[in-house]
Amino acid sequence: MSNKKKMTMGMIVGNRGFFPDHLAKTGREEMIQALQKAGIDVVTLTTEESKYGAVETHEEAKRCAALFHAKGEQIDGVIVTLPNFGDERAIADTLRLARLQVPVLVQATPDTPVKMGITHRRDSFCGKMSACNNLRQYNIPYSLTTLHTESPDSAEFAKDLEWFAGVCRIVKGLRNLRIGAIGARPTAFNTVRYSEKLLEGSGISVETLDLSEVLGRIGRMKDTDDVAVQKLQAIQRYVTTKDIPQVALLKMAKLGAVVDQWMKAVDVQISAVQCWTSLEENLGIVPCTLMSMMSNSLLSSACEVDVCGVLGMHALQLASETPSALLDWNNNYGTDPNKAVCFHCSNLPKHFFKDVKMDFQEIIAGTVGKENTFGTCVGRVKAGAMSFARFSTDDANGKIRGYSGSGRFTDDPLETFGGAGVVEIPGLQKLLRYICENGFEHHVAANFSSVAPMVHEAAIRYFGWDMYAHQA
């Protein structure tokens, strides 16, 4: 499943007149071709608006900034390309005046040893340092290519461009994000406490909804209301509901309809839900399938009102453009130090399963009765590449922190209930020690992808969060 977003990049072509400025002309053309090949739209000065469409003077910087500002809603990020040394002040002035607050990637084109004469020498290698120095002075955050110099048409730059596009999606998706917190944190879970104020400081708002309001709205909804009927049909299309009582399915449909209406009304993009035990005791179902459906539709939903958990899900989903899940770091897997069982009971999106069916929630059933716990999505997690991430609000130190990394889901045998998979992560014991030493939660967001470096860059570079990038 994928929902690819069309990306648009602003482009600044650096130029400095006493270097060969014909390189600015060809460099601009090469970068436009590279971006278009990647399916990315480009906003940049034309060759009529400045010399070779580059930015060298303060007037050209103002002209480019005005263009960027006018197209600000469309621009996801900015590419600074240096086909020669470039004018570092004009580059920084453009970004300051444009006031875009989007990620910036600085690229420099390499020299060719046999073309080091005055007519073809670039000095971009050196100019990149000056450009970055000025961006630092202007307090403008920026990202770097993997290699210090990379040609726009190189495989290395194509890979870096894919990475940078993911960073841009994360930054745009987290800025001004609104998260729905439905119900109170389960009393037993101090683990998922968080600071709304620290999130607000990063531009992330939390909108709350009390479960009494949810239950009241469900009580006023008729079985025959269009929204209830349509939601029931959507549930039955989504997952096998054999052996599930019709009365339970109708309750789920009404709950789903109420949540959908509320999220639309208050403009929240993702949610965290009090999944137990009030809904089971007062409504007689679990919300897992509804949450699975939301996550599968790229509207990430986390259980146990884990707001920071759904933030991790959303970041991974923005990067990969595929569904995320929230899992427990739950069990060892035999004696293999690099393997573990990741589990939830479960609301995993269908995207995660080899096969899936609706069932009852075995853990809570012992407390509230099986008849009140229908609605889980259970099955075995499929094999494949895995990225993981966790964010947490560190109230004592007044900052947001987190970790990210990569591994894979395996095909190792596993006999259990709920939604479960075996993960293999190089250096897992080091990661588990880090989690425990730093007091991170037992929940982790996961995604079938290799996007952890995008999450790390977006969080540390453009939000200023404290991040650990796990390596073996």
Side-chain angles (χ1 to χ4, degrees):
M1 178 179 176
S2 180
N3 185 29
K4 298 295 182 186
K5 176 187 181 295
K6 181 75 170 176
M7 305 292 289
T8 299
M9 298 290 173
M11 185 178 76
I12 300 173
V13 182
N15 186 35
R16 184 169 283 190
F18 53 81
F19 289 89
D21 58 6
H22 66 88
L23 295 173
K25 178 180 183 293
T26 55
R28 176 182 180 276
E29 293 164 354
E30 289 168 3
M31 183 55 76
I32 289 174
Q33 288 172 6
L35 292 169
Q36 290 177 340
K37 184 179 178 182
I40 295 171
D41 289 339
V42 186
V43 175
T44 191
L45 289 176
T46 66
T47 53
E48 289 75 36
E49 290 171 314
S50 71
K51 187 178 182 182
Y52 298 132
V55 174
E56 182 176 7
T57 68
H58 186 64
E59 279 303 312
E60 289 168 344
K62 288 198 295 183
R63 210 169 297 150
C64 188
L67 172 65
F68 285 0
H69 191 64
K71 302 277 189 179
E73 287 296 314
Q74 302 167 34
I75 294 174
D76 299 295
V78 172
I79 307 289
V80 174
T81 181
L82 297 171
N84 65 24
F85 190 97
D87 190 292
E88 67 260 31
R89 291 186 306 165
I91 291 166
D93 284 344
T94 301
L95 290 166
R96 173 185 275 174
L97 293 169
R99 305 190 304 277
L100 290 179
Q101 289 192 308
V102 297
V104 175
L105 180 65
V106 183
Q107 173 270 343
T109 302
D111 272 304
T112 304
V114 296
K115 292 184 178 180
M116 293 286 282
I118 193 68
T119 58
H120 285 86
R121 178 167 156 164
R122 297 180 183 275
D123 282 17
S124 309
F125 187 104
C126 183
K128 182 174 178 178
M129 297 176 196
S130 293
C132 292
N133 174 278
N134 276 259
L135 292 177
R136 184 71 181 267
Q137 288 186 48
Y138 282 49
N139 200 29
I140 297 169
Y142 54 90
S143 298
L144 300 171
T145 54
T146 303
L147 300 176
H148 185 67
T149 55
E150 293 179 354
S151 294
D153 61 355
S154 66
E156 292 85 1
F157 183 70
K159 190 174 180 182
D160 281 341
L161 189 56
E162 182 183 5
W163 164 80
F164 182 66
V167 173
C168 292
R169 286 193 297 272
I170 296 168
V171 172
K172 195 164 192 173
L174 296 191
R175 285 230 165 100
N176 305 314
L177 176 67
R178 289 167 62 80
I179 302 174
I182 302 171
R185 167 184 59 81
T187 303
F189 273 57
N190 278 359
T191 321
V192 296
R193 286 173 168 174
Y194 69 98
S195 167
E196 284 191 43
K197 291 181 179 180
L198 286 179
L199 292 176
E200 198 73 70
S202 287
I204 298 166
S205 300
V206 178
E207 188 80 12
T208 60
L209 178 65
D210 193 88
L211 280 187
S212 64
E213 296 182 56
V214 174
L215 295 170
R217 293 175 194 183
I218 291 171
R220 292 188 293 274
M221 188 177 291
K222 296 174 184 171
D223 294 357
T224 54
D225 283 356
D226 285 347
V227 288
V229 172
Q230 289 169 13
K231 199 67 179 180
L232 178 60
Q233 292 170 347
I235 291 168
Q236 291 170 324
R237 286 194 302 268
Y238 180 75
V239 67
T240 301
T241 57
K242 186 175 179 290
D243 301 327
I244 306 298
Q246 189 68 18
V247 64
L249 290 172
L250 191 53
K251 288 176 182 178
M252 285 178 225
K254 289 182 178 181
L255 172 60
V258 166
V259 170
D260 288 349
Q261 289 174 331
W262 175 76
M263 289 181 68
K264 186 175 181 180
V266 300
D267 191 28
V268 299
Q269 289 81 49
I270 57 178
S271 61
V273 181
Q274 182 191 336
C275 51
W276 57 280
T277 56
S278 179
L279 284 173
E280 293 76 9
E281 292 174 356
N282 296 297
L283 185 59
I285 56 160
V286 295
C288 305
T289 293
L290 300 167
M291 298 168 71
S292 171
M293 291 169 70
M294 286 192 285
S295 293
N296 210 60
S297 299
L298 307 185
L299 303 170
S300 299
S301 188
C303 36
E304 292 145 8
V305 201
D306 188 353
V307 166
C308 290
V310 79
L311 187 60
M313 292 172 68
H314 193 51
L316 290 168
Q317 175 255 299
L318 289 165
S320 71
E321 300 180 287
T322 63
S324 295
L326 191 70
L327 295 163
D328 282 355
W329 293 116
N330 211 80
N331 311 88
N332 58 289
Y333 188 75
T335 57
D336 191 325
N338 287 327
K339 288 183 179 178
V341 176
C342 280
F343 166 90
H344 249 162
C345 37
S346 98
N347 66 353
L348 275 59
K350 193 162 64 171
H351 177 75
F352 266 64
F353 290 110
K354 285 195 284 190
D355 49 67
V356 61
K357 67 174 184 175
M358 190 186 291
D359 208 340
F360 72 99
Q361 217 280 24
E362 292 197 36
I363 297 174
I364 304 174
T367 307
V368 301
K370 175 181 175 180
E371 69 280 3
N372 294 314
T373 62
F374 287 105
T376 57
C377 282
V378 302
R380 179 64 197 273
V381 175
K382 63 188 179 184
M386 172 226 198
S387 295
F388 59 86
R390 177 73 214 184
F391 299 125
S392 185
T393 56
D394 182 352
D395 302 46
N397 293 300
K399 58 189 178 184
I400 297 174
R401 58 192 182 129
Y403 63 84
S404 61
S406 301
R408 68 184 184 100
F409 286 103
T410 74
D411 272 326
D412 289 310
L414 184 66
E415 293 298 325
T416 186
F417 59 94
V422 177
V423 296
E424 182 175 25
I425 298 169
L428 177 60
Q429 295 302 309
K430 175 184 170 185
L431 173 64
L432 295 172
R433 178 173 287 274
Y434 180 84
I435 290 168
C436 289
E437 284 182 344
N438 290 278
F440 277 100
E441 298 81 352
H442 65 295
H443 287 166
V444 66
N447 191 277
F448 276 95
S449 62
S450 300
V451 297
M454 300 176 190
V455 173
H456 180 84
E457 179 77 3
I460 202 166
R461 190 79 55 217
Y462 298 102
F463 289 96
W465 299 346
D466 287 359
M467 293 294 293
Y468 163 65
H470 176 66
Q471 304 287 338

